[in-house]
């Protein structure tokens, strides 16, 4: 199976690990100073893409110019190779309902995908809930292009979720089958996971889900804090693994539910 990164940190390449030939072209539009800043923050500066909001790193994490200028204290607790990790900032003001909306530029079938994502989170009985609206949402799923499936960012210091999930529908595809809806909902849920403060389950070594050599994503200024009660051994089914295979469905597994409950129940 060809694993492709979802978002948040990795090379979410449309053709998995085959897009190596584009590395030089992508980095050519990003200055050496910016690449050095990204590296100093603890993120990989390979395959960095310039986007409207700033820079896309590690496949699906958006760093704004403000992020690059931030020099917060790095918080990282590194206990094992595969655990659940969260960022320093979390969503506050709980209980809190987060509204979500989908751009009209995305396929109409994605409405069912968003509904499935909402259902998955709301079924957990968290103090964060989600409601789909037609406009004016807290988090908007917007159309995007590029060499990734989707991308998003992390909560801000004021406790608000990241406001945008950029979706590359050409890479994800479209459809109305249960298989497709579950696959795309896994991608949507993963990106929202970043928006509310989750990092990749295989943060310590993204090669676990993406293949290739050992790759630690780095704590950066956003933090990588282990969530108590999550496993210290490999977790193959987590919704927050860095990469995903085509048509794979990853509903919340037992440790995902532990992590969600610890932060938001």
């Amino acid at each position: 199976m060809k694993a492709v990164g979802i978002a948040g940190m990795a090379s979410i390449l449309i053709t998995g690990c085959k897009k190596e030939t584009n590395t030089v072209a992508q980095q050519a539009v990003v200055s050496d100073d910016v690449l050095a800043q990204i590296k100093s923050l603890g993120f990989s500066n390979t395959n960095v893409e310039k986007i409207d909001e700033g820079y896309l790193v590690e496949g699906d994490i958006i760093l704004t110019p403000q992020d690059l200028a931030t020099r917060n204290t790095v918080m990282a607790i590194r206990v094992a190779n595969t655990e659940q990790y969260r960022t320093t900032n979390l969503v506050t003001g709980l209980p809190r309902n987060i509204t979500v909306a989908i751009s009209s530029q995305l396929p109409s079938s994605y409405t069912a995908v968003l509904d499935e994502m909402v259902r998955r989170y709301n079924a957990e009985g968290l103090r964060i809930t989600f409601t789909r609206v037609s406009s004016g949402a807290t988090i908007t799923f917007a159309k995007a292009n590029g060499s990734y499936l989707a991308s998003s960012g992390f909560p801000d210091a004021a406790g608000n979720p990241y406001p945008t999930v950029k979706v590359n529908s050409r890479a994800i595809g479209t459809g109305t089958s249960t298989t497709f809806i579950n696959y795309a909902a896994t991608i949507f849920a993963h990106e929202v996971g970043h928006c509310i403060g989750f990092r990749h389950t295989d943060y310590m070594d993204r090669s676990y889900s993406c293949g290739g050599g050992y790759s630690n994503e780095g704590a950066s200024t956003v933090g990588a804090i282990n969530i108590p009660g999550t496993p210290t051994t490999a977790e193959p089914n987590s919704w927050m693994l860095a990469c995903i295979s085509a048509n794979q469905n990853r509903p919340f597994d037992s440790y995902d539910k532990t992590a969600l409950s610890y932060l938001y129940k």
Side-chain angles (χ1 to χ4, degrees):
M1 294 187 294
K2 294 179 182 177
V4 280
I6 302 178
M9 358 215 55
S11 307
I12 300 180
L13 305 179
I14 297 174
T15 54
C17 301
K18 290 188 176 180
K19 204 156 180 156
E20 300 289 339
T21 55
N22 284 350
T23 300
V24 175
Q26 290 173 358
Q27 288 191 344
V29 300
V30 181
S31 72
D32 289 341
D33 287 344
V34 169
L35 291 175
Q37 284 180 291
I38 291 170
K39 185 174 182 180
S40 72
L41 291 178
F43 289 103
S44 169
N45 64 357
T46 301
N47 295 332
V48 174
E49 294 185 43
K50 181 72 176 71
I51 59 175
D52 291 342
E53 297 89 338
Y55 302 92
L56 186 73
V57 303
E58 297 178 355
D60 71 337
I61 292 300
I62 296 171
L63 294 180
T64 66
Q66 291 75 22
D67 292 328
L68 297 185
T70 300
R71 289 293 182 271
N72 293 331
T73 301
V74 174
M75 297 181 66
I77 301 176
R78 302 176 180 178
V79 183
N81 287 338
T82 307
E83 298 174 315
Q84 296 277 8
Y85 292 86
R86 71 170 178 88
T87 55
T88 304
N89 294 334
L90 295 174
V91 175
T92 58
L94 307 180
R96 184 168 180 175
N97 180 254
I98 297 173
T99 54
V100 292
I102 196 154
S103 168
S104 60
Q105 294 181 322
L106 290 169
S108 59
S109 62
Y110 281 27
T111 299
V113 173
L114 188 59
D115 286 343
E116 171 60 17
M117 184 220 78
V118 167
R119 185 199 66 77
R120 292 185 184 190
Y121 277 103
N122 288 350
E124 298 308 309
L126 307 174
R127 290 193 293 161
I128 282 182
T129 55
F130 294 87
T131 301
R132 179 169 63 85
V133 296
S134 58
S135 63
T138 308
I139 300 175
T140 300
F141 287 71
K143 183 176 175 59
N145 298 305
S147 58
Y148 56 92
L149 298 179
S151 65
S152 62
F154 298 119
D156 63 23
N160 298 307
Y162 193 80
T164 307
V165 174
K166 301 183 76 174
V167 180
N168 186 350
S169 56
R170 291 184 62 187
I172 296 173
T174 187
T176 58
S177 70
T178 300
T179 297
F180 175 79
I181 290 173
N182 284 333
Y183 164 63
T186 297
I187 296 171
F188 279 28
H190 178 107
E191 293 308 323
V192 168
H194 287 313
C195 292
I196 64 174
F198 283 90
R199 293 197 62 171
H200 290 145
T201 304
D202 49 351
Y203 143 82
M204 285 294 290
D205 183 7
R206 62 179 297 107
S207 68
Y208 177 75
S209 66
C210 300
Y214 172 83
S215 177
N216 185 317
E217 291 178 347
S220 84
T221 56
V222 301
I225 304 168
N226 173 239
I227 300 172
T230 59
T232 57
T233 56
E235 187 183 355
N237 300 311
S238 174
W239 103 108
M240 289 308 296
L241 288 172
C243 291
I244 188 171
S245 297
N247 292 321
Q248 186 175 23
N249 180 26
R250 288 184 189 145
F252 302 132
D253 67 16
S254 61
Y255 292 117
D256 293 337
K257 294 182 178 185
T258 295
L260 285 163
S261 294
Y262 185 86
L263 297 187
Y264 289 119
K265 205 160 192 177

